[in-house]
Structure formats: structure tokens, C-alpha cells
Amino acid sequence: MALLPILRYPDPRLHTVARPVGAVDARIRQLAADMFETMFAAKGIGLAATQVDVHEQLIVMDVSEARDEPLVLINPELVATSAERAVGDEGCLSVPQIYDKVERFERVTVRFLDLDGQTRTLDAEGLLAICIQHEMDHLKGKVFVEYLSPLKRNRIKSKLAKRSRDEAEA
């Protein structure tokens, strides 16, 4: 397994729309394993392939406290959403140390392929539903800060640019 570099906002590659995975093969299984290693090392709960500069529809996540419920979603699609919506704080490994409120569906049903290439359906609510929607946005080329006002987005861009300069000088 290998740690993969995570793209940071406002990197334009984060806006690339991911293409469907053609075949669930050894390459995809290895990518998922590398993405889990990367996500856990970065202390995240979800990671989309787009964030590691692979523009295919693959998501890994584990929202469990014990970090022992890994979930892989290949070519995910929302097939149902609740009428109810909720606003909650979100963060992102591509937008480190930045959190803000985003409105999402409270419950979703997602259809996807698993690592064996089998079609599965999952009903999710709470944190898992939020994580699924957040990571699926990445596959569409959207970062959570795009739900925020232009003023907030510009402040975040400035803050991250300064942080990058400071890290480069250190």
C-alpha cells in the first residue's frame, strides 16, 4: 500500500468530473487500499479518487468510531433522497482545517458497485449520508466550500494560500 498525495483546494484538478470505473479489477482494488491508507493517515472519514488526482468514480469511507467499518463505493448514484434536509459542519481533507455549515439531505439511498463488482444498495442517514453526499460531490468536481458565499470562499482561498506559502518557507 502507499500514501497518495491529496490535492488541496483551489487546485483546478479538484473540479474534474470523474468518469465511471470500467472494470473492478486488481488496479481498482489497489487504488481503494491506497486511498484507505491515505485517508486514515490524514485522519479523514471519506476520500474520493478525485482528491488523489485519479478521476474515476471511486470513494472510500469509514465513519465508525473504531475505524473498522470500511466502505467502498464504485460508480455511486443516489437513487433516493429524503424530503428533510439538515445543516451541519463539514470539513475536507482537500481543504485542511476549514469547517463550515452545509445543507444536505438527512437520508439517502445509494446504489454502487463493491470491490467484487457486485451491485449493492445502501440506505444511509446521519454522518454516513452526509459523507456519501460530500464525496459524491467530489466525483462531480465540486468541493464543499462552493456551497458557501463568494466572500467566505475567497477568505478560505486566501487563508490556504498563506498557509502554503508559510509551509514552503519553513
Side-chain angles (χ1 to χ4, degrees):
M1 294 201 301
L3 287 178
L4 305 170
I6 298 173
L7 299 177
R8 288 201 176 171
Y9 181 80
D11 191 309
R13 294 172 289 181
L14 288 168
H15 299 294
T16 304
V17 176
R19 66 187 177 281
V21 169
V24 180
D25 54 17
R27 180 185 67 82
I28 291 296
R29 285 188 280 280
Q30 184 62 55
L31 176 59
D34 292 345
M35 287 173 61
F36 271 119
E37 183 177 356
T38 302
M39 179 190 79
F40 288 135
K43 303 205 180 337
I45 60 170
L47 187 66
T50 300
Q51 294 175 270
V52 294
D53 204 20
V54 177
H55 303 286
E56 294 181 83
Q57 294 179 12
L58 172 63
I59 294 168
V60 301
M61 60 182 64
D62 188 340
V63 300
S64 68
E65 286 289 323
R67 313 298 267 159
D68 60 356
E69 297 176 26
L71 181 61
V72 176
L73 307 177
I74 300 168
N75 299 340
E77 65 175 303
L78 290 182
V79 293
T81 57
S82 64
E84 304 82 24
R85 297 174 71 89
V87 175
D89 273 337
E90 286 190 29
C92 181
L93 295 177
S94 291
V95 192
Q97 301 169 342
I98 304 289
Y99 300 89
D100 214 315
K101 298 200 177 312
V102 177
E103 183 177 294
R104 301 278 187 187
F105 296 108
E106 284 188 7
R107 292 178 308 285
V108 298
T109 301
V110 62
R111 182 172 41 232
F112 60 96
L113 298 177
D114 64 16
L115 284 176
D116 294 321
Q118 299 299 308
T119 300
R120 304 275 183 220
T121 302
L122 174 68
D123 293 319
E125 60 183 301
L127 182 58
L128 181 58
I130 291 166
C131 191
I132 288 169
Q133 293 170 81
H134 176 107
E135 300 307 334
M136 286 183 69
D137 275 352
H138 280 299
L139 300 181
K140 298 173 195 161
K142 188 169 186 173
V143 181
F144 91 95
V145 296
E146 292 169 45
Y147 287 101
L148 308 178
S149 71
L151 177 64
K152 280 188 176 182
R153 263 197 319 275
N154 286 333
R155 283 185 182 156
I156 290 167
K157 280 182 189 177
S158 297
K159 183 184 259 185
L160 293 176
K162 180 184 183 318
R163 192 180 299 155
S164 289
R165 283 192 306 273
D166 291 348
E167 289 171 1
E169 292 171 5

